[in-house]
Amino acid sequence: MSATLDKNDFLKILITQLTHQDPTQPMDDKEFVAQMAQFSSLEQMTNMSQGLTKVADLVARSQAVSLLGNAVDLTDEQGNTVSGTVDAVTSGDLPQLLVNGNYYDAANVQAVRRSLAAANAGNVPAAGAKE
């Protein structure tokens, strides 16, 4: 059971309150409008939070993909440092990097270096170019 209330819980409370109110003393209009404004704010914050989570996931994936072909130092599950070139990246909310034949969480990257192949790629003349 969650210790926090979400927008559905808030809506249930409001509906229960309206259902069980005394017909001879209905809820004050100002109070009702205030509660509806609170519900609207809660819904907007929830939607914004979900949107920010999606943006964070996209940024994490983009950063992981940008590591392809680069040399990295990362920590494994035992806390040991592993060095190698990123050969592949998995998709998903928590991208993983294929380094030395094993997959590691992208969040465990400690350092990134240009690999020799990537560094030399900048020194190769374009096809048909004269030196």
Side-chain angles (χ1 to χ4, degrees):
M1 185 168 159
S2 177
T4 60
L5 296 175
D6 64 6
K7 65 180 183 179
N8 292 331
D9 295 325
F10 188 85
L11 188 59
K12 287 177 187 175
I13 290 170
L14 184 61
I15 290 171
T16 302
Q17 188 176 15
L18 290 172
T19 304
H20 294 91
Q21 70 178 335
D22 182 357
T24 62
Q25 294 180 332
M27 183 186 298
D28 181 30
D29 289 345
K30 292 178 185 175
E31 184 181 341
F32 181 71
V33 170
Q35 287 183 347
M36 289 306 296
Q38 287 176 337
F39 177 72
S40 178
S41 294
L42 177 62
E43 185 173 28
Q44 288 174 0
M45 285 189 290
T46 301
N47 293 341
M48 187 170 22
S49 175
Q50 291 170 346
L52 288 174
T53 299
K54 289 178 183 178
V55 168
D57 290 344
L58 288 172
V59 168
R61 282 187 235 149
S62 176
Q63 287 176 336
V65 168
S66 72
L67 295 174
L68 271 172
N70 287 308
V72 294
D73 295 333
L74 49 84
T75 54
D76 64 10
E77 292 175 358
Q78 290 77 32
N80 302 318
T81 300
V82 176
S83 297
T85 301
V86 178
D87 296 319
V89 176
T90 64
S91 62
D93 293 340
L94 300 171
Q96 293 193 322
L97 311 175
L98 179 62
V99 178
N100 301 333
N102 295 312
Y103 284 96
Y104 301 94
D105 290 337
N108 293 345
V109 173
Q110 301 300 315
V112 180
R113 297 175 306 285
R114 289 189 74 182
S115 68
L116 245 50
N120 290 335
N123 298 329
V124 176
K130 294 185 180 181
E131 290 187 24

